Amino acid sequence: QVQLVESGGGLVQPGGSLRLSCSVSGIPVDFHAIGWLRQAPVKEREEIACISTSGRTLHYADSVKGRFTVSRDNKENTMYLQMNSLKPEDTAVYYCATYPRGCKGRHSDRGRGTQVTVSS
């Protein structure tokens, strides 16, 4: 059974940074692209970052490009999202997910999410 567990969310001031982690179990993560989604109140779910199995190909939504960095450690079955220069509009629940058919395909399994709140 695939399980993804996000951690690292919290309250941060505008301009601050957070690092989210996603621990994956139940599958060999190095066989899957993995990525991050977010869901803010009254907004549509947004796919914001994805990293290929090798880690050499990265995809970012325009809304986070240049501020967020996705990375993975296949030995630890873990993925990270470094978020810098955070803005109030980044406030959302952040989820990690697997992409069995690559970053351009649909996501499959998803974790329960971690709340990120950007506010002064």
Side-chain angles (χ1 to χ4, degrees):
Q1 183 178 355
V2 180
Q3 187 174 18
L4 300 97
V5 179
E6 304 90 343
S7 61
L11 173 64
V12 63
Q13 292 187 343
S17 298
L18 279 176
R19 190 193 195 202
L20 304 184
S21 299
C22 172
S23 177
V24 184
S25 60
I27 55 169
V29 70
D30 51 353
F31 287 176
H32 290 75
I34 44 181
W36 293 92
L37 321 168
R38 68 185 181 184
Q39 178 80 60
V42 301
K43 288 186 180 179
E44 291 188 2
R45 186 177 59 207
E46 182 183 17
E47 296 185 317
I48 57 171
C50 185
I51 183 168
S52 64
T53 53
S54 67
R56 288 193 288 266
T57 302
L58 311 176
H59 299 265
Y60 295 101
D62 289 342
S63 58
V64 306
K65 200 172 293 182
R67 301 187 298 122
F68 291 10
T69 303
V70 61
S71 60
R72 63 190 295 162
D73 184 338
N74 287 344
K75 292 182 180 178
E76 298 295 328
N77 262 27
T78 302
M79 176 178 62
Y80 304 97
L81 185 68
Q82 178 66 43
M83 305 187 295
N84 298 329
S85 302
L86 282 161
K87 305 175 182 180
E89 51 263 44
D90 293 318
T91 295
V93 178
Y94 284 71
Y95 304 89
C96 60
T98 60
Y99 287 77
R101 297 190 176 186
C103 288
K104 294 186 178 181
R106 296 186 64 178
H107 74 273
S108 178
D109 300 286
R110 194 178 72 179
R112 292 186 175 183
T114 185
Q115 175 71 45
V116 171
T117 302
V118 184
S119 176
S120 54

